[in-house]
Amino acid sequence: MTTIHLITPVTTRGIRDLKEIAHLESPSLSFTHSLLDRGPSSIESEFDEALAVPDTIVRAIEAEQAGADAIIIDCMGDPGLKAAREVVKIPVLGPSETSMHLAAMLGQKFSVVTVLNSVKPMLANLARVYGVYEKLASILVVDIPVLELEQRFAEVQSALANSALQAVERDGADVIVLGCTGFLGCAAAIEEHLQSAGHDIPVIDPIPATVCVAEAVAKAGLRHSKRTYATPRAKEIIGFNIPRTAV
Amino acid sequence: MTTIHLITPVTTRGIRDLKEIAHLESPSLSFTHSLLDRGPSSIESEFDEALAVPDTIVRAIEAEQAGADAIIIDCMGDPGLKAAREVVKIPVLGPSETSMHLAAMLGQKFSVVTVLNSVKPMLANLARVYGVYEKLASILVVDIPVLELEQRFAEVQSALANSALQAVERDGADVIVLGCTGFLGCAAAIEEHLQSAGHDIPVIDPIPATVCVAEAVAKAGLRHSKRTYATPRAKEIIGFNIPRTAV
Amino acid sequence: MTTIHLITPVTTRGIRDLKEIAHLESPSLSFTHSLLDRGPSSIESEFDEALAVPDTIVRAIEAEQAGADAIIIDCMGDPGLKAAREVVKIPVLGPSETSMHLAAMLGQKFSVVTVLNSVKPMLANLARVYGVYEKLASILVVDIPVLELEQRFAEVQSALANSALQAVERDGADVIVLGCTGFLGCAAAIEEHLQSAGHDIPVIDPIPATVCVAEAVAKAGLRHSKRTYATPRAKEIIGFNIPRTAV
Amino acid sequence: MTTIHLITPVTTRGIRDLKEIAHLESPSLSFTHSLLDRGPSSIESEFDEALAVPDTIVRAIEAEQAGADAIIIDCMGDPGLKAAREVVKIPVLGPSETSMHLAAMLGQKFSVVTVLNSVKPMLANLARVYGVYEKLASILVVDIPVLELEQRFAEVQSALANSALQAVERDGADVIVLGCTGFLGCAAAIEEHLQSAGHDIPVIDPIPATVCVAEAVAKAGLRHSKRTYATPRAKEIIGFNIPRTAV
Amino acid sequence: MTTIHLITPVTTRGIRDLKEIAHLESPSLSFTHSLLDRGPSSIESEFDEALAVPDTIVRAIEAEQAGADAIIIDCMGDPGLKAAREVVKIPVLGPSETSMHLAAMLGQKFSVVTVLNSVKPMLANLARVYGVYEKLASILVVDIPVLELEQRFAEVQSALANSALQAVERDGADVIVLGCTGFLGCAAAIEEHLQSAGHDIPVIDPIPATVCVAEAVAKAGLRHSKRTYATPRAKEIIGFNIPRTAV
Amino acid sequence: MTTIHLITPVTTRGIRDLKEIAHLESPSLSFTHSLLDRGPSSIESEFDEALAVPDTIVRAIEAEQAGADAIIIDCMGDPGLKAAREVVKIPVLGPSETSMHLAAMLGQKFSVVTVLNSVKPMLANLARVYGVYEKLASILVVDIPVLELEQRFAEVQSALANSALQAVERDGADVIVLGCTGFLGCAAAIEEHLQSAGHDIPVIDPIPATVCVAEAVAKAGLRHSKRTYATPRAKEIIGFNIPRTAV
């Protein structure tokens, strides 16, 4: 039995409903979930991300202590991915890193369609650090803030489909990565839109895809390298209640 | 129920025993397997690989026709990976591509430990094409041919452990990728050897790892891009019995 | 006296007429030629290419045994280039590799104009492996299959000229590489078209260019490195009649 | 009159004495300084860095409100550099980014000599994001924790000199970057050591160098791009007292 | 007191008026200036640049002998930058190298707007050699020769503003670098034009920016690496009056 | 009949004897030769190179006017290559550019063995500009000045052989490029030395190799791109007697 803990690294209650990934559950896979107590209501900048990381780290430590087999950080900025890997031994996956590597495996070039221009530099830098920058065709935006995605759903769907088509036809993308985990569930409609324009192209929905890869990593007995992600040295820290046994 | 078809792209009967991956089977995952009728007895050069590809393609078409959900080509040269993707719609995974991307996710730099010097250029070129060359620290060899791996098992284990340690300490590897699918089952001992030298480092055993990722890709409903891997145009072909409906 | 053997790696009799390169012959240079017995009628995919390679290897071995001084594989996919180099000692040149390196020497960026979208990923991957990807401005297509090039010659010429102009003016190409050896003889008209639009730009016709470079390599006494292209180890091979002395 | 505000992004009182850079003061340049209220006592991991960023952002906002002309974050991890740039308009400089670009200007390859192995991946990733990875020859460590630098000063000096010499002679470094701002003041002795071994090589002491470049940026009227570092959208944030007018 | 010597590497008397940078002077910074006796009247090609270098080297030697603290070569081709560094010990800065590195620090991608198409390959090659090619979004031109910049000033301003806007909106530039030192003084108007189109983007005016960085480098006690820029071995030279003590 | 003009870009009479390449002459190939009137006696630095370029340009113009079909600049710094291409229409080849591209075609990685440490940065920068930096394994030196090569011939041979072996065994070179045209004639002995150590590796002697490629380029009717190497605009030039019709 594998338990994957999903950390949605914002403080907005209700923003993530596990029902959206319930179809991935099985007798051998279950989910647990947490949000942040402290942090931003959504992540759309380096600033937002910075405030999300401390509590994300706490959630990761708690999840490992509670017996989770793997952790997924539910944001395409992969906030706290590297820090969390330092403080736990179980695999921690970021949907951005995972989706970009999957995309690189499924076709020659990929584009990311995300929410706002403000996250484009962040995503481009992640592609550099993850080593797949050469595979990145372009980053496009629907220009809709995260907290408006739900109420403007039709508009989101339409903008995603149009951007994806532009990514393919103008920028040469062979694979589309949805660039915000708030787009969960939109992939199929985009694939159909591309198909109707003659393009048989996979659209990666980051959270379901990362859940499946996290399950695979756990099943294969893999984990991150402690040579890259060494356990932090013990030292005095003021003002964050990091669980004691962690570091 | 997911069925993964494993093509071992050589003609040597008995070289692959599915028992080696039986621990990965479950009520929701089963394996089928095939070897080549025509081709080399092992793959240790571009020449060997070239002769393995035509029958590998045939096996891939047959596997899709037989209802497989995903295909894995059981060789670190990923022979026929691109051609097979052109002729089938189900996901086709290469252990080299999959392991290199996993390695890039688990640590900052990885090294590959393989059989012979003659396959080093091939593996380096794969890393270039897969877009992860910058993450490749080095390629080392145990200098033992594929068909001697079984009878020289102790020597293989020892050489792998030593090479892996050298990759870490001299070349700065954070993750080790076993560079021949004939090394199946050797990862744990190498991890222990590294651990005893103070290095907490994952060693990727390509076939189990690729099986788990293939299951993940199938479960996530993903597949390769037909914009990168377009179905070949129908045309006259002499001397290869490619199943009719395929292309 | 240098003898260059040209392998046209398809089964279509008459597709290559040595008269097209007769102007390159001299008292010190002559040509021999072969086609495949088994393989595809044209090469427009990784699948086609895979089926062309085994007989290409055989032709290469035969050519060396017959006393050729250099071998050229007459297809822009450079099928079997690496495998052929492993089994012979005389220089083997691919028109794609040769043209891309020439192009990199003659100007800052080059574009390739080829037949169909299906070969674009293949050509991009070759540029990666050959180390000149940074010099590649773009790949464009005339969207005409190889076996229709001859009867649609006027259309081909016009499409090539238009694509070349677009490569220069939109993509910043300084040099044009014809991306199919079936375009042999089209370079002069494209150069004129570019010239009439104010662009003094070389257009590389791969086969004549590669013939001249092959002659140069032979005259300079150069050959490929056996450290990169080691002679394959002897082993059992089923079903391909590889000449005995070769490996 | 230019005022540079130095944020030392740790909670350890007394770790930075402005006297160490007093020689850079002038009638036209003065310094202000702050430490963190909440955060780690030193930064030696991604974890430490993550906990340093929230208060670093607060200090940056306060510094701009207090009339500073430029901000320097006093740590080679450049913690919060991007987030701080989003929330202020005055230039924010990181010693790592600044030193690496200076090093790239002063010679062909540079090496960084830092404290502990645990920060090597972080520094390598910064070089990737800053676009100077190709210029990075190597990263070496003295293997002494930040908070022990002061009391083990002789050992630090000696280890720095030896590592720098190894960087030059083994790794081909043309310039040395001190990889911890706690090494402030050590550059001259290392230069002498290198000189006595026949190497006329600049050693960049990050804080003085970044002070001078920050002064230059302010004098030239330059600032970071708000297209890369857009001001964050206003939104609810729980648990961090970010000054109101900032975002 | 820092003295920066500006070498304007052309023979056109009056082309550079130090009044243009007089606002950068201070009690601690003064300028000296020289032109060439032999060379081109302006630099718009590799040919022009080649003829400018010998006398630029002489001017650099003379400046060091006259007691300058740093040298700036007043042309975006950075002519003679490397040779001058070999023959003097004081810092020699090129406005192209300096501006490109500053641009890389201030935003994610930069574009250069220069005079003529003929200098584009030169600037692209400089970006390659300086290691910032990945940060270069595009190079655009105003298509006005250097010696006409002054009398066609309104046209220049307008073309620069339009090109800069195109660089931002079409090519994704986050920072603009003026690609000719003859554009001195044009940055503010371009920034305003971009601002009025909604883009808060720094425009780097190379000479003022390089003056400030040169002052910073001198103040920080830095200099170029003599391992990269070794003093040339003494040898017979015919026909250039290189000052004796230099090499 | 093809005439190749060789410019030896130094003032040392007798340093190049055309007998050394007389074996390459034929009824269809002849050579002409020139030295510089003004410039350095040998080229071992950027400074030397800068002083060699003006007269090299003059020689190139004269050679084209005298009816040469191609020009080779006889120095591994390729001095004046780009400027010469701007002022003539016939192909101009540099032995460094040509040899590096040939090396990239003959094996996976190449090393250059040259004279002195002072030319290493220059050669590395050329590899960057030529786009083959990724293929460069290392640059080694024999540490013997150019003008001493002849009288210390045995020492040169021995040092070259040892360095080449080290390049192969330590740095992973598959091909060796002689890094000074003064090494002409040394390749065979080095190949033998490598062969005796078990390495079947081509050693590129730049001048003979470049002669053969220049002949190939001329025969193929190719030339450099005037989009990269535009003819310089006419303008006043002081102090260099550039032949009138040239620019």
mmCIF file of all heavy atoms in Angstrom, chain B residues 155-178:
data_model
loop_
_atom_site.group_PDB
_atom_site.id
_atom_site.type_symbol
_atom_site.label_atom_id
_atom_site.label_comp_id
_atom_site.label_asym_id
_atom_site.label_seq_id
_atom_site.Cartn_x
_atom_site.Cartn_y
_atom_site.Cartn_z
ATOM 1 N N GLU B 155 32.445 -11.073 -10.422
ATOM 2 C CA GLU B 155 33.332 -10.061 -11.010
ATOM 3 C C GLU B 155 32.533 -8.825 -11.438
ATOM 4 O O GLU B 155 32.975 -7.685 -11.255
ATOM 5 C CB GLU B 155 34.007 -10.700 -12.222
ATOM 6 C CG GLU B 155 35.254 -10.056 -12.707
ATOM 7 C CD GLU B 155 35.775 -10.804 -13.955
ATOM 8 O OE1 GLU B 155 35.434 -12.010 -14.142
ATOM 9 O OE2 GLU B 155 36.492 -10.169 -14.734
ATOM 10 N N VAL B 156 31.380 -9.066 -12.042
ATOM 11 C CA VAL B 156 30.508 -7.968 -12.481
ATOM 12 C C VAL B 156 30.113 -7.115 -11.282
ATOM 13 O O VAL B 156 30.234 -5.877 -11.302
ATOM 14 C CB VAL B 156 29.251 -8.533 -13.183
ATOM 15 C CG1 VAL B 156 28.206 -7.434 -13.363
ATOM 16 C CG2 VAL B 156 29.620 -9.167 -14.512
ATOM 17 N N GLN B 157 29.639 -7.757 -10.218
ATOM 18 C CA GLN B 157 29.206 -7.037 -9.020
ATOM 19 C C GLN B 157 30.325 -6.176 -8.474
ATOM 20 O O GLN B 157 30.142 -5.003 -8.133
ATOM 21 C CB GLN B 157 28.778 -8.035 -7.928
ATOM 22 C CG GLN B 157 27.404 -8.629 -8.142
ATOM 23 C CD GLN B 157 26.315 -7.729 -7.578
ATOM 24 O OE1 GLN B 157 26.360 -6.518 -7.748
ATOM 25 N NE2 GLN B 157 25.334 -8.318 -6.926
ATOM 26 N N SER B 158 31.479 -6.757 -8.393
ATOM 27 C CA SER B 158 32.610 -6.039 -7.830
ATOM 28 C C SER B 158 33.016 -4.863 -8.721
ATOM 29 O O SER B 158 33.267 -3.754 -8.238
ATOM 30 C CB SER B 158 33.759 -7.039 -7.658
ATOM 31 O OG SER B 158 34.961 -6.368 -7.526
ATOM 32 N N ALA B 159 33.057 -5.090 -10.027
ATOM 33 C CA ALA B 159 33.447 -4.019 -10.946
ATOM 34 C C ALA B 159 32.411 -2.897 -10.945
ATOM 35 O O ALA B 159 32.751 -1.721 -11.015
ATOM 36 C CB ALA B 159 33.630 -4.579 -12.349
ATOM 37 N N LEU B 160 31.142 -3.277 -10.864
ATOM 38 C CA LEU B 160 30.087 -2.250 -10.818
ATOM 39 C C LEU B 160 30.234 -1.392 -9.564
ATOM 40 O O LEU B 160 30.139 -0.163 -9.619
ATOM 41 C CB LEU B 160 28.707 -2.909 -10.813
ATOM 42 C CG LEU B 160 28.171 -3.398 -12.163
ATOM 43 C CD1 LEU B 160 26.878 -4.174 -11.954
ATOM 44 C CD2 LEU B 160 27.940 -2.224 -13.112
ATOM 45 N N ALA B 161 30.460 -2.037 -8.450
ATOM 46 C CA ALA B 161 30.576 -1.296 -7.190
ATOM 47 C C ALA B 161 31.765 -0.340 -7.234
ATOM 48 O O ALA B 161 31.674 0.827 -6.839
ATOM 49 C CB ALA B 161 30.694 -2.271 -6.020
ATOM 50 N N ASN B 162 32.879 -0.842 -7.748
ATOM 51 C CA ASN B 162 34.066 0.010 -7.815
ATOM 52 C C ASN B 162 33.872 1.178 -8.780
ATOM 53 O O ASN B 162 34.256 2.310 -8.490
ATOM 54 C CB ASN B 162 35.293 -0.810 -8.240
ATOM 55 C CG ASN B 162 35.699 -1.794 -7.163
ATOM 56 O OD1 ASN B 162 35.361 -1.602 -5.995
ATOM 57 N ND2 ASN B 162 36.393 -2.852 -7.558
ATOM 58 N N SER B 163 33.285 0.881 -9.921
ATOM 59 C CA SER B 163 33.063 1.950 -10.897
ATOM 60 C C SER B 163 32.087 2.985 -10.360
ATOM 61 O O SER B 163 32.262 4.193 -10.566
ATOM 62 C CB SER B 163 32.521 1.366 -12.205
ATOM 63 O OG SER B 163 33.487 0.553 -12.822
ATOM 64 N N ALA B 164 31.056 2.530 -9.686
ATOM 65 C CA ALA B 164 30.072 3.458 -9.138
ATOM 66 C C ALA B 164 30.733 4.377 -8.114
ATOM 67 O O ALA B 164 30.496 5.588 -8.092
ATOM 68 C CB ALA B 164 28.912 2.688 -8.509
ATOM 69 N N LEU B 165 31.587 3.791 -7.283
ATOM 70 C CA LEU B 165 32.264 4.603 -6.280
ATOM 71 C C LEU B 165 33.177 5.643 -6.937
ATOM 72 O O LEU B 165 33.230 6.805 -6.521
ATOM 73 C CB LEU B 165 33.078 3.690 -5.347
ATOM 74 C CG LEU B 165 33.670 4.364 -4.106
ATOM 75 C CD1 LEU B 165 32.588 5.027 -3.259
ATOM 76 C CD2 LEU B 165 34.439 3.348 -3.262
ATOM 77 N N GLN B 166 33.850 5.219 -7.994
ATOM 78 C CA GLN B 166 34.720 6.151 -8.729
ATOM 79 C C GLN B 166 33.880 7.261 -9.380
ATOM 80 O O GLN B 166 34.291 8.427 -9.393
ATOM 81 C CB GLN B 166 35.479 5.373 -9.797
ATOM 82 C CG GLN B 166 36.592 6.167 -10.441
ATOM 83 C CD GLN B 166 37.399 5.325 -11.416
ATOM 84 O OE1 GLN B 166 36.880 4.414 -12.039
ATOM 85 N NE2 GLN B 166 38.676 5.656 -11.553
ATOM 86 N N ALA B 167 32.726 6.892 -9.906
ATOM 87 C CA ALA B 167 31.840 7.895 -10.519
ATOM 88 C C ALA B 167 31.460 8.958 -9.501
ATOM 89 O O ALA B 167 31.438 10.151 -9.802
ATOM 90 C CB ALA B 167 30.584 7.217 -11.077
ATOM 91 N N VAL B 168 31.186 8.517 -8.275
ATOM 92 C CA VAL B 168 30.780 9.456 -7.227
ATOM 93 C C VAL B 168 31.960 10.314 -6.786
ATOM 94 O O VAL B 168 31.889 11.545 -6.780
ATOM 95 C CB VAL B 168 30.189 8.683 -6.019
ATOM 96 C CG1 VAL B 168 29.956 9.628 -4.847
ATOM 97 C CG2 VAL B 168 28.908 7.970 -6.424
ATOM 98 N N GLU B 169 33.043 9.650 -6.440
ATOM 99 C CA GLU B 169 34.140 10.374 -5.783
ATOM 100 C C GLU B 169 35.034 11.130 -6.757
ATOM 101 O O GLU B 169 35.579 12.174 -6.417
ATOM 102 C CB GLU B 169 34.959 9.403 -4.925
ATOM 103 C CG GLU B 169 34.077 8.775 -3.834
ATOM 104 C CD GLU B 169 34.861 8.050 -2.753
ATOM 105 O OE1 GLU B 169 36.011 7.648 -3.003
ATOM 106 O OE2 GLU B 169 34.299 7.865 -1.651
ATOM 107 N N ARG B 170 35.211 10.604 -7.955
ATOM 108 C CA ARG B 170 36.082 11.287 -8.912
ATOM 109 C C ARG B 170 35.291 12.210 -9.849
ATOM 110 O O ARG B 170 35.708 13.313 -10.141
ATOM 111 C CB ARG B 170 36.835 10.241 -9.753
ATOM 112 C CG ARG B 170 37.885 10.830 -10.676
ATOM 113 C CD ARG B 170 38.354 9.827 -11.725
ATOM 114 N NE ARG B 170 37.256 9.429 -12.601
ATOM 115 C CZ ARG B 170 37.311 8.484 -13.533
ATOM 116 N NH1 ARG B 170 38.442 7.810 -13.691
ATOM 117 N NH2 ARG B 170 36.272 8.189 -14.279
ATOM 118 N N ASP B 171 34.114 11.721 -10.296
ATOM 119 C CA ASP B 171 33.382 12.457 -11.336
ATOM 120 C C ASP B 171 32.220 13.283 -10.790
ATOM 121 O O ASP B 171 31.578 14.014 -11.532
ATOM 122 C CB ASP B 171 32.847 11.475 -12.399
ATOM 123 C CG ASP B 171 33.955 10.622 -12.995
ATOM 124 O OD1 ASP B 171 35.105 11.102 -13.062
ATOM 125 O OD2 ASP B 171 33.674 9.471 -13.391
ATOM 126 N N GLY B 172 31.918 13.151 -9.503
ATOM 127 C CA GLY B 172 30.868 13.971 -8.923
ATOM 128 C C GLY B 172 29.450 13.498 -9.192
ATOM 129 O O GLY B 172 28.515 14.294 -9.136
ATOM 130 N N ALA B 173 29.271 12.207 -9.466
ATOM 131 C CA ALA B 173 27.917 11.700 -9.698
ATOM 132 C C ALA B 173 27.105 11.711 -8.404
ATOM 133 O O ALA B 173 27.614 11.362 -7.340
ATOM 134 C CB ALA B 173 27.966 10.277 -10.253
ATOM 135 N N ASP B 174 25.842 12.100 -8.516
ATOM 136 C CA ASP B 174 24.896 12.075 -7.397
ATOM 137 C C ASP B 174 23.945 10.889 -7.507
ATOM 138 O O ASP B 174 23.250 10.556 -6.543
ATOM 139 C CB ASP B 174 24.070 13.366 -7.384
ATOM 140 C CG ASP B 174 24.937 14.592 -7.215
ATOM 141 O OD1 ASP B 174 25.572 14.712 -6.160
ATOM 142 O OD2 ASP B 174 25.006 15.404 -8.148
ATOM 143 N N VAL B 175 23.857 10.325 -8.690
ATOM 144 C CA VAL B 175 22.968 9.199 -8.976
ATOM 145 C C VAL B 175 23.727 8.281 -9.929
ATOM 146 O O VAL B 175 24.483 8.761 -10.776
ATOM 147 C CB VAL B 175 21.663 9.683 -9.676
ATOM 148 C CG1 VAL B 175 20.738 8.502 -9.974
ATOM 149 C CG2 VAL B 175 20.937 10.724 -8.817
ATOM 150 N N ILE B 176 23.523 6.968 -9.769
ATOM 151 C CA ILE B 176 24.147 6.002 -10.679
ATOM 152 C C ILE B 176 23.058 5.333 -11.519
ATOM 153 O O ILE B 176 22.031 4.908 -10.981
ATOM 154 C CB ILE B 176 24.916 4.908 -9.886
ATOM 155 C CG1 ILE B 176 26.031 5.539 -9.031
ATOM 156 C CG2 ILE B 176 25.471 3.833 -10.824
ATOM 157 C CD1 ILE B 176 27.141 6.206 -9.801
ATOM 158 N N VAL B 177 23.296 5.242 -12.818
ATOM 159 C CA VAL B 177 22.412 4.494 -13.713
ATOM 160 C C VAL B 177 23.170 3.261 -14.193
ATOM 161 O O VAL B 177 24.273 3.393 -14.744
ATOM 162 C CB VAL B 177 22.002 5.357 -14.923
ATOM 163 C CG1 VAL B 177 21.233 4.520 -15.944
ATOM 164 C CG2 VAL B 177 21.164 6.557 -14.484
ATOM 165 N N LEU B 178 22.590 2.097 -13.977
ATOM 166 C CA LEU B 178 23.202 0.885 -14.533
ATOM 167 C C LEU B 178 23.037 0.938 -16.045
ATOM 168 O O LEU B 178 21.928 1.110 -16.553
ATOM 169 C CB LEU B 178 22.563 -0.367 -13.931
ATOM 170 C CG LEU B 178 22.726 -0.489 -12.409
ATOM 171 C CD1 LEU B 178 22.185 -1.850 -11.932
ATOM 172 C CD2 LEU B 178 24.194 -0.344 -12.012
#
